[in-house]
Amino acid sequence: MSNLVLDESSMNREASRGYSWWFSGDAFERQAAQDRRPPRRNLSAKLWSHPGRLTILYFFALIALATVLLELPISAHNRMVTDPVVAFFTAVSAASTCGIQVVNTTTHWSLFGQAVILLAVQFGGLGVMTFASLIALAVNKHIKASQRMLTARELGATKLSETKGVLNAVLVTTLLIEVITFLALFPGLLHVNHGNVRHALWEALFFAVISYNNAGFTPDGAGLHVNSWGVGLPVLLSAFCGTLGFPVLLNLMRAARKHTPPKRWTLHTKITLIGTFCMVAVSLLWFRCVEWNNHILFSHADLQTRLRYALTAAVMPRTSGFDPSWVPDVSDPTKVFMSAFMFIGGGSTSTAGGIRVTTFTVVLLVCRAAFRGKRDVTVFHKRINERTTMTAVSIMTTCLILVFSVSLALMAVSGCSLSNALFDTCSAFGLGGYTVGVADQSDPAALLLLAMTMVIGRIGPMTIAYAINRPSEAQAVRFPEEPIIVG
């Protein structure tokens, strides 16, 4: 029964018509109508109550702002208005931290345009849900429960109360790694730029932000990191840290501070580290065996240079598209191999894309359990939550269908080969940043297809599903005892 509304005014005595006079005649009708009417909520309340849609709104707002700024004459070296399709594609590539370029960053974009790209990469790399939660902290001094649910899930917090501390740690970790990378890059870039301090400072800042966020844009237009260990090694290490993901970095920092042995690290950290190192080792072995005698790629190169190229090729293609000049010269088997690794991508909640290393590892564990006839999926003597395994399989299946469909569409609109279409599609979805030339500014249809793929790769299928089908609060706060973040 609805709550009774007491009205003890004397004017209701006649309206009561013999009933107890302190109830108004239409009290029950008014209260019933009020119960049936949903409470009015303003736009802000609706957005905060649905963080998935807020994530998508923020991401598209960032793309729109970057597109408008890149179209301004001040953003181009020639002070001309940039083609809207090129500006839009560059904005998507920067905000999604992909790094595929259709124009030369150095010769086409001015210092202002490069600064716009840099800021878009930084805000995109911090994570759309992370930045949205920081807005909530600044405005409301606290995170609302519905916002904390998705943020905790994205950042790997096992309890909602940890989210605020995790967000602070994310900012500190990001700035710390970027500052360390900046300081490590400056001497090498100062030497490369022949003592030009101003230019070396800008390139060090640009590379520090871009490398950690695994974007692939280069301020020099030639990928200086490939030719110099003083530049290449800091970029390589920073990009590798960016692929691990915030939960892994936080767990490693806490373990180092408390001297926690590796066997007591979280299950998510163990799976991510083992999967990442295995992928790097397999990539290094592949380039050592398949491309070692590629005269176009390694022409007149000594053993040290070949090892440096192979190490760069083993780490960078999964997430960072620095120096794409050598990619068209690799063999078709290597293009397919790189496509598979870009499709897998980096660690969950990292600046990388793809289906994520943890998702792929969980799918392999599901296959192992099925082949052995076991119902439970276990690793390191711990059982993986059933919902996690279902999510991993559904993500991988959905993304395979997406990549296959976009590859066919690219072949239809551009006339490219299957290996090239698959390579660029996986690069866009996995935010790898490499291209074999399918992304051409003279083909707007191909650019729009790849831009759509980059958006999906950055936002992630889980966030899109959350925006379409909002789970109940009871479902959203159920964290497994040993959380593994997939998707």
Side-chain angles (χ1 to χ4, degrees), residues 26-84:
D26 60 346
F28 293 102
E29 289 80 0
R30 285 190 284 107
Q31 183 62 35
Q34 213 170 40
D35 290 342
R36 289 192 301 267
R37 187 184 306 117
R40 286 188 175 184
R41 297 186 302 169
N42 56 27
L43 179 61
S44 176
K46 291 179 181 179
L47 288 176
W48 287 120
S49 65
H50 213 318
R53 293 177 184 174
L54 179 61
T55 299
I56 297 174
L57 178 63
Y58 160 76
F59 189 74
F60 279 109
L62 179 62
I63 292 175
L65 178 61
T67 302
V68 171
L69 293 176
L70 289 176
E71 283 191 69
L72 297 176
I74 193 176
S75 296
H77 267 306
N78 56 9
R79 294 297 188 268
M80 300 290 289
V81 177
T82 302
D83 182 9

Coordinates of all heavy atoms in Angstrom, one line a residue, residues 26-84:
D26 N -8.9 13.1 -2.0 CA -8.2 12.5 -3.1 C -6.7 12.2 -2.7 O -5.9 12.1 -3.5 CB -8.2 13.5 -4.2 CG -7.5 14.8 -3.9 OD1 -7.4 15.0 -2.7 OD2 -7.2 15.6 -4.8
A27 N -6.5 12.0 -1.4 CA -5.1 11.7 -0.9 C -4.6 10.4 -1.5 O -3.5 10.4 -2.0 CB -5.1 11.6 0.6
F28 N -5.4 9.4 -1.5 CA -4.9 8.1 -2.0 C -4.7 8.2 -3.5 O -3.7 7.6 -4.0 CB -6.0 7.0 -1.7 CG -6.1 6.7 -0.3 CD1 -7.2 7.2 0.5 CD2 -5.2 5.9 0.4 CE1 -7.4 6.9 1.8 CE2 -5.3 5.7 1.8 CZ -6.4 6.2 2.5
E29 N -5.6 8.9 -4.3 CA -5.4 9.0 -5.7 C -4.1 9.7 -6.1 O -3.4 9.3 -7.0 CB -6.6 9.6 -6.3 CG -7.9 8.8 -6.4 CD -8.6 8.8 -5.0 OE1 -8.1 9.5 -4.1 OE2 -9.6 8.1 -4.9
R30 N -3.9 10.8 -5.3 CA -2.7 11.6 -5.6 C -1.4 10.9 -5.3 O -0.4 10.9 -6.0 CB -2.7 12.9 -4.8 CG -3.7 14.0 -5.4 CD -3.6 15.3 -4.8 NE -4.2 15.4 -3.4 CZ -3.5 15.4 -2.3 NH1 -2.1 15.4 -2.4 NH2 -4.0 15.5 -1.1
Q31 N -1.5 10.1 -4.2 CA -0.3 9.4 -3.8 C 0.0 8.2 -4.8 O 1.2 8.0 -5.2 CB -0.4 8.8 -2.4 CG 0.8 8.1 -1.9 CD 2.1 9.0 -1.8 OE1 1.9 10.2 -1.5 NE2 3.2 8.5 -2.2
A32 N -1.1 7.6 -5.3 CA -0.9 6.5 -6.2 C -0.3 7.0 -7.5 O 0.5 6.4 -8.2 CB -2.2 5.8 -6.4
A33 N -0.8 8.2 -8.0 CA -0.3 8.7 -9.2 C 1.2 9.1 -9.1 O 2.0 9.0 -10.0 CB -1.2 10.0 -9.6
Q34 N 1.5 9.6 -7.9 CA 2.9 10.0 -7.6 C 3.8 8.8 -7.7 O 5.0 8.8 -8.1 CB 3.0 10.7 -6.3 CG 4.1 11.8 -6.3 CD 4.0 12.6 -5.0 OE1 3.7 12.1 -3.9 NE2 4.1 13.9 -5.1
D35 N 3.3 7.6 -7.1 CA 4.1 6.4 -7.1 C 4.3 5.9 -8.5 O 5.4 5.3 -8.8 CB 3.5 5.4 -6.2 CG 3.5 5.7 -4.8 OD1 4.3 6.6 -4.4 OD2 2.7 5.1 -4.0
R36 N 3.3 6.1 -9.4 CA 3.5 5.6 -10.7 C 4.4 6.4 -11.6 O 4.9 5.9 -12.6 CB 2.1 5.5 -11.4 CG 1.2 4.4 -10.9 CD 0.0 4.2 -11.8 NE -0.8 5.4 -11.9 CZ -1.9 5.6 -11.1 NH1 -2.2 4.8 -10.1 NH2 -2.6 6.7 -11.3
R37 N 4.5 7.7 -11.3 CA 5.3 8.6 -12.1 C 6.8 8.5 -11.7 O 7.1 8.6 -10.6 CB 4.8 10.1 -11.8 CG 5.5 11.1 -12.8 CD 5.1 12.5 -12.4 NE 3.6 12.7 -12.4 CZ 3.0 13.0 -11.3 NH1 3.6 13.2 -10.2 NH2 1.7 13.1 -11.3
P38 N 7.6 8.2 -12.7 CA 9.1 8.1 -12.4 C 9.7 9.4 -12.0 O 9.2 10.5 -12.5 CB 9.7 7.6 -13.7 CG 8.7 8.0 -14.7 CD 7.4 8.0 -14.1
P39 N 10.6 9.4 -11.1 CA 11.2 10.7 -10.7 C 11.9 11.4 -11.8 O 12.6 10.7 -12.6 CB 12.2 10.3 -9.5 CG 12.5 8.9 -9.8 CD 11.2 8.3 -10.4
R40 N 11.8 12.7 -11.9 CA 12.5 13.4 -12.9 C 14.0 13.6 -12.6 O 14.4 13.9 -11.5 CB 11.9 14.8 -13.0 CG 10.5 14.8 -13.7 CD 10.1 16.3 -14.0 NE 8.9 16.3 -14.8 CZ 8.3 17.5 -15.2 NH1 8.9 18.6 -14.9 NH2 7.2 17.4 -15.9
R41 N 14.8 13.4 -13.6 CA 16.2 13.5 -13.4 C 16.8 14.3 -14.6 O 16.4 14.2 -15.7 CB 16.9 12.1 -13.4 CG 16.5 11.2 -12.3 CD 17.3 9.9 -12.3 NE 17.2 9.2 -13.5 CZ 18.0 8.2 -13.8 NH1 19.0 7.8 -13.0 NH2 17.9 7.6 -15.0
N42 N 17.7 15.2 -14.2 CA 18.3 16.1 -15.2 C 19.3 15.3 -16.0 O 19.6 14.1 -15.7 CB 19.0 17.3 -14.6 CG 20.0 16.9 -13.5 OD1 20.6 15.9 -13.5 ND2 20.2 17.8 -12.5
L43 N 19.9 15.9 -17.0 CA 20.8 15.2 -17.9 C 22.1 14.7 -17.2 O 22.6 13.6 -17.4 CB 21.2 16.1 -19.1 CG 22.2 15.6 -20.1 CD1 21.7 14.4 -20.8 CD2 22.6 16.7 -21.1
S44 N 22.6 15.5 -16.3 CA 23.8 15.1 -15.5 C 23.5 13.9 -14.7 O 24.4 13.0 -14.7 CB 24.2 16.3 -14.6 OG 25.3 15.9 -13.8
A45 N 22.4 13.8 -14.0 CA 22.1 12.6 -13.2 C 21.9 11.4 -14.1 O 22.4 10.3 -13.7 CB 20.8 12.8 -12.4
K46 N 21.4 11.5 -15.3 CA 21.2 10.4 -16.2 C 22.6 9.9 -16.7 O 22.8 8.7 -16.8 CB 20.4 10.8 -17.4 CG 18.9 11.1 -17.1 CD 18.1 11.5 -18.3 CE 16.6 11.7 -18.0 NZ 15.9 12.1 -19.2
L47 N 23.5 10.8 -17.0 CA 24.8 10.4 -17.4 C 25.6 9.7 -16.3 O 26.2 8.7 -16.5 CB 25.6 11.6 -17.9 CG 25.1 12.2 -19.3 CD1 25.9 13.4 -19.6 CD2 25.3 11.2 -20.4
W48 N 25.6 10.3 -15.1 CA 26.3 9.7 -14.0 C 25.8 8.3 -13.6 O 26.5 7.5 -13.1 CB 26.4 10.6 -12.8 CG 27.3 11.8 -13.0 CD1 26.9 13.1 -12.9 CD2 28.7 11.8 -13.2 NE1 28.0 13.9 -13.1 CE2 29.1 13.1 -13.3 CE3 29.6 10.8 -13.4 CZ2 30.4 13.5 -13.6 CZ3 30.9 11.1 -13.7 CH2 31.3 12.4 -13.8
S49 N 24.4 8.1 -13.8 CA 23.8 6.9 -13.5 C 24.1 5.8 -14.6 O 23.8 4.6 -14.3 CB 22.3 7.0 -13.3 OG 21.7 7.4 -14.6
H50 N 24.7 6.2 -15.7 CA 25.0 5.3 -16.7 C 26.4 5.5 -17.3 O 26.6 6.1 -18.3 CB 24.0 5.4 -17.9 CG 23.7 4.1 -18.6 ND1 24.7 3.2 -18.9 CD2 22.6 3.6 -19.0 CE1 24.2 2.2 -19.5 NE2 22.9 2.3 -19.6
P51 N 27.5 5.1 -16.5 CA 28.9 5.5 -16.9 C 29.3 5.0 -18.2 O 30.2 5.6 -18.9 CB 29.7 4.8 -15.8 CG 28.7 4.4 -14.7 CD 27.4 4.3 -15.3
G52 N 28.7 3.9 -18.7 CA 29.1 3.4 -20.0 C 28.8 4.4 -21.1 O 29.6 4.6 -22.0
R53 N 27.6 5.0 -21.1 CA 27.3 6.0 -22.1 C 28.1 7.3 -21.8 O 28.4 8.0 -22.8 CB 25.8 6.3 -22.0 CG 24.9 5.1 -22.4 CD 23.4 5.4 -22.2 NE 22.6 4.2 -22.5 CZ 21.3 4.1 -22.3 NH1 20.7 5.2 -21.8 NH2 20.7 3.0 -22.7
L54 N 28.4 7.6 -20.6 CA 29.2 8.7 -20.3 C 30.6 8.6 -20.9 O 31.2 9.5 -21.5 CB 29.4 9.0 -18.8 CG 30.2 10.2 -18.4 CD1 29.7 11.5 -19.0 CD2 30.3 10.2 -16.9
T55 N 31.1 7.3 -20.9 CA 32.4 7.0 -21.5 C 32.4 7.3 -23.0 O 33.3 8.0 -23.5 CB 32.8 5.5 -21.3 OG1 32.8 5.3 -19.9 CG2 34.1 5.2 -21.9
I56 N 31.4 6.8 -23.7 CA 31.3 7.0 -25.1 C 31.1 8.5 -25.4 O 31.7 9.0 -26.4 CB 30.1 6.2 -25.7 CG1 30.4 4.7 -25.4 CG2 29.9 6.4 -27.2 CD1 29.3 3.7 -25.8
L57 N 30.3 9.2 -24.6 CA 30.1 10.6 -24.9 C 31.4 11.4 -24.7 O 31.7 12.2 -25.6 CB 29.0 11.1 -23.9 CG 28.7 12.6 -24.0 CD1 28.1 13.0 -25.4 CD2 27.7 13.0 -22.9
Y58 N 32.1 11.1 -23.7 CA 33.4 11.8 -23.5 C 34.4 11.5 -24.6 O 35.0 12.4 -25.1 CB 34.0 11.3 -22.1 CG 35.5 11.6 -22.1 CD1 36.0 12.9 -21.8 CD2 36.4 10.6 -22.2 CE1 37.4 13.1 -21.8 CE2 37.8 10.8 -22.2 CZ 38.2 12.1 -21.9 OH 39.6 12.3 -21.9
F59 N 34.4 10.3 -25.1 CA 35.3 9.9 -26.1 C 35.0 10.6 -27.4 O 35.9 11.2 -28.1 CB 35.3 8.4 -26.3 CG 36.4 7.9 -27.2 CD1 37.7 7.8 -26.8 CD2 36.1 7.5 -28.5 CE1 38.7 7.3 -27.7 CE2 37.1 7.0 -29.4 CZ 38.4 6.9 -28.9
F60 N 33.7 10.6 -27.8 CA 33.3 11.3 -29.0 C 33.5 12.8 -28.9 O 33.8 13.5 -29.9 CB 31.9 11.0 -29.4 CG 31.8 9.6 -30.1 CD1 31.2 8.6 -29.4 CD2 32.3 9.5 -31.4 CE1 31.1 7.3 -30.1 CE2 32.2 8.2 -32.0 CZ 31.6 7.2 -31.4
A61 N 33.3 13.4 -27.7 CA 33.5 14.8 -27.5 C 35.0 15.2 -27.7 O 35.4 16.2 -28.3 CB 33.1 15.2 -26.1
L62 N 35.9 14.3 -27.2 CA 37.3 14.5 -27.4 C 37.7 14.4 -28.8 O 38.5 15.3 -29.3 CB 38.1 13.4 -26.6 CG 39.6 13.5 -26.7 CD1 40.2 14.8 -26.1 CD2 40.2 12.3 -25.9
I63 N 37.1 13.5 -29.6 CA 37.4 13.4 -31.0 C 36.9 14.6 -31.8 O 37.6 15.2 -32.6 CB 36.7 12.1 -31.6 CG1 37.4 10.9 -31.1 CG2 36.8 12.1 -33.1 CD1 36.8 9.6 -31.5
A64 N 35.7 15.1 -31.4 CA 35.1 16.3 -32.1 C 35.9 17.5 -31.8 O 36.2 18.3 -32.8 CB 33.7 16.5 -31.6
L65 N 36.4 17.7 -30.6 CA 37.2 18.9 -30.2 C 38.5 18.8 -31.0 O 39.0 19.8 -31.6 CB 37.4 18.9 -28.7 CG 38.3 20.1 -28.2 CD1 37.7 21.4 -28.6 CD2 38.5 20.0 -26.7
A66 N 39.2 17.7 -31.0 CA 40.5 17.5 -31.7 C 40.3 17.7 -33.2 O 41.2 18.4 -33.8 CB 41.1 16.2 -31.4
T67 N 39.2 17.3 -33.7 CA 39.0 17.4 -35.2 C 38.8 18.9 -35.5 O 39.4 19.4 -36.5 CB 37.7 16.7 -35.6 OG1 37.8 15.3 -35.3 CG2 37.4 16.8 -37.1
V68 N 38.0 19.6 -34.8 CA 37.8 21.1 -35.0 C 39.2 21.8 -34.9 O 39.5 22.7 -35.7 CB 36.8 21.7 -34.0 CG1 36.7 23.2 -34.1 CG2 35.4 21.1 -34.3
L69 N 39.9 21.5 -33.9 CA 41.2 22.2 -33.7 C 42.2 21.9 -34.8 O 43.0 22.8 -35.3 CB 41.8 21.8 -32.3 CG 41.1 22.3 -31.1 CD1 41.7 21.8 -29.8 CD2 41.0 23.9 -31.1
L70 N 42.2 20.6 -35.3 CA 43.1 20.3 -36.4 C 42.7 20.9 -37.7 O 43.6 21.0 -38.6 CB 43.2 18.7 -36.5 CG 43.9 18.0 -35.3 CD1 43.9 16.5 -35.5 CD2 45.4 18.5 -35.2
E71 N 41.5 21.2 -37.9 CA 41.0 21.9 -39.1 C 41.4 23.3 -39.2 O 41.3 23.9 -40.2 CB 39.5 21.7 -39.3 CG 39.1 20.3 -39.7 CD 37.6 20.3 -40.1 OE1 37.3 20.9 -41.1 OE2 36.8 19.6 -39.4
L72 N 41.8 23.9 -38.0 CA 42.1 25.3 -38.0 C 43.4 25.6 -38.9 O 44.3 24.7 -38.9 CB 42.3 25.8 -36.6 CG 41.1 25.8 -35.7 CD1 41.5 26.2 -34.3 CD2 40.0 26.7 -36.2
P73 N 43.5 26.7 -39.6 CA 44.7 27.0 -40.4 C 46.0 27.0 -39.5 O 47.0 26.6 -40.0 CB 44.4 28.4 -41.0 CG 42.9 28.5 -41.0 CD 42.4 27.7 -39.8
I74 N 45.8 27.4 -38.2 CA 47.0 27.4 -37.4 C 47.6 26.1 -37.1 O 48.8 25.9 -36.7 CB 46.7 28.2 -36.1 CG1 48.0 28.5 -35.3 CG2 45.8 27.3 -35.2 CD1 47.7 29.3 -34.1
S75 N 46.8 25.0 -37.3 CA 47.3 23.6 -37.1 C 48.2 23.1 -38.2 O 48.9 22.1 -37.9 CB 46.1 22.7 -36.9 OG 45.4 23.1 -35.7
A76 N 48.2 23.7 -39.4 CA 49.0 23.2 -40.5 C 50.1 24.1 -40.8 O 50.1 25.3 -40.5 CB 48.1 23.1 -41.7
H77 N 51.2 23.5 -41.3 CA 52.4 24.3 -41.6 C 52.1 25.3 -42.7 O 52.7 26.5 -42.6 CB 53.5 23.4 -42.0 CG 54.4 23.0 -40.9 ND1 55.1 23.9 -40.1 CD2 54.8 21.8 -40.5 CE1 55.8 23.3 -39.2 NE2 55.7 21.9 -39.4
N78 N 51.3 25.0 -43.7 CA 51.1 25.9 -44.8 C 49.9 26.9 -44.5 O 49.5 27.6 -45.3 CB 50.7 25.1 -46.0 CG 49.6 24.2 -45.8 OD1 48.9 24.2 -44.8 ND2 49.3 23.3 -46.8
R79 N 49.4 26.9 -43.2 CA 48.3 27.8 -42.8 C 47.1 27.6 -43.7 O 46.3 28.6 -43.9 CB 48.8 29.2 -42.8 CG 49.9 29.5 -41.7 CD 49.4 29.3 -40.3 NE 50.3 29.7 -39.3 CZ 51.2 28.9 -38.7 NH1 51.3 27.7 -39.1 NH2 51.9 29.4 -37.7
M80 N 46.9 26.4 -44.2 CA 45.7 26.1 -45.0 C 44.8 25.2 -44.1 O 45.2 24.5 -43.2 CB 46.0 25.4 -46.3 CG 46.9 26.3 -47.2 SD 46.1 27.7 -47.9 CE 45.0 26.8 -49.1
V81 N 43.5 25.2 -44.5 CA 42.5 24.3 -43.8 C 42.8 22.9 -44.2 O 42.8 22.6 -45.4 CB 41.1 24.8 -44.1 CG1 40.1 23.8 -43.4 CG2 40.8 26.2 -43.6
T82 N 42.9 22.0 -43.2 CA 43.2 20.6 -43.5 C 41.9 19.9 -44.0 O 40.8 20.3 -43.5 CB 43.7 19.9 -42.3 OG1 44.9 20.5 -41.9 CG2 44.0 18.4 -42.5
D83 N 42.0 19.0 -44.9 CA 40.8 18.2 -45.3 C 40.1 17.6 -44.1 O 40.7 17.0 -43.2 CB 41.3 17.1 -46.2 CG 40.1 16.2 -46.8 OD1 39.0 16.6 -46.6 OD2 40.4 15.2 -47.4
P84 N 38.8 17.8 -44.0 CA 38.0 17.3 -42.8 C 38.2 15.8 -42.5 O 38.3 15.4 -41.4 CB 36.6 17.7 -43.1 CG 36.7 18.8 -44.1 CD 37.9 18.6 -44.9

